[in-house]
Amino acid sequence: MSKIILIGFMGSGKTTIGNELSEKSKFALVDTDKYIEQQQQTTISEIFASKGEEEFRLMETKALKELLEASEDMIISTGGGLVIKQENRELLKNAGTTVYLKASADTIYDRVKDDTKRPLLQCEDPKLKIISLMEQRKDYYTDAANIVVDTDKKSVEEIACEILSKIK
Ligand code: S3P
């Protein structure tokens, strides 16, 4: 049983890189947000609006545990805030291969500035919010990861190959 787990800030490329890795490895790509949306039959934005972030974080831990317990090989793309909880960081560290996709605040902002589906960034100054959340979380990503990959100015292909070469 083999799992590659992608962690990193919103907009760090987890889904894009996950798709590329899935093609190369033939492992299925599973996304914790999509898994939660399927289970709850609603969107992440709606969960934040109706139940609040706290409740969403509980759903995230449950989703992570269920996916890690699954017997299939898979690539797991995780929500950017999953590392906030120590319990999740422990799970990630011991899960197999956890890859932190590192990106600068400028890169992240460029990628997410027109996005309306990320509730935490629907605020007056999303750039400032990105900088402040990144500051709070950066050590958590490093702590939970077995492999760190700098993604700024690299192509999807380059990043995927770098990850696979570091795993082998
Ligand atoms: C969040 C990241 C989102 C999603 C939710 C909260 C976060 O996932 O889980 O909006 O706290 O950083 P992505 O990283 O896939 O955007």
Side-chain angles (χ1 to χ4, degrees), residues 30-87:
V30 187
D31 178 286
T32 54
D33 281 346
K34 290 207 183 98
Y35 185 84
I36 292 169
E37 288 183 335
Q38 271 162 12
Q39 284 198 331
Q40 300 294 317
Q41 290 291 297
T42 185
T43 62
I44 299 299
S45 299
E46 191 44 46
I47 296 170
F48 267 74
S50 63
K51 302 195 166 152
E53 181 171 347
E54 196 95 331
E55 193 71 24
F56 170 73
R57 298 296 173 202
L58 295 175
M59 293 175 193
E60 253 187 337
T61 299
K62 181 171 171 285
L64 179 66
K65 283 184 179 161
E66 288 174 5
L67 292 173
L68 291 179
E69 277 164 15
S71 55
E72 299 89 14
D73 295 332
M74 59 173 91
I75 317 274
I76 305 175
S77 167
T78 60
L82 200 113
V83 295
I84 296 171
K85 282 167 80 178
Q86 192 188 349
E87 181 186 4

Side-chain angles (χ1 to χ4, degrees), residues 7-9 98-103 138 141-142 145 147-150:
I7 62 171
F9 204 80
T98 297
V99 182
Y100 169 26
L101 299 178
K102 205 171 168 185
K138 63 180 186 340
Y141 293 123
T142 316
I147 293 173
V148 180
V149 176
D150 238 306

Side-chain angles (χ1 to χ4, degrees), residues 9 109 112-113 120-132:
F9 204 80
Y109 178 68
V112 303
K113 58 179 187 292
L120 292 177
L121 301 180
Q122 306 314 301
C123 56
E124 208 163 300
D125 192 343
K127 179 81 184 272
L128 198 65
K129 185 74 183 246
I130 290 169
I131 292 169
S132 118

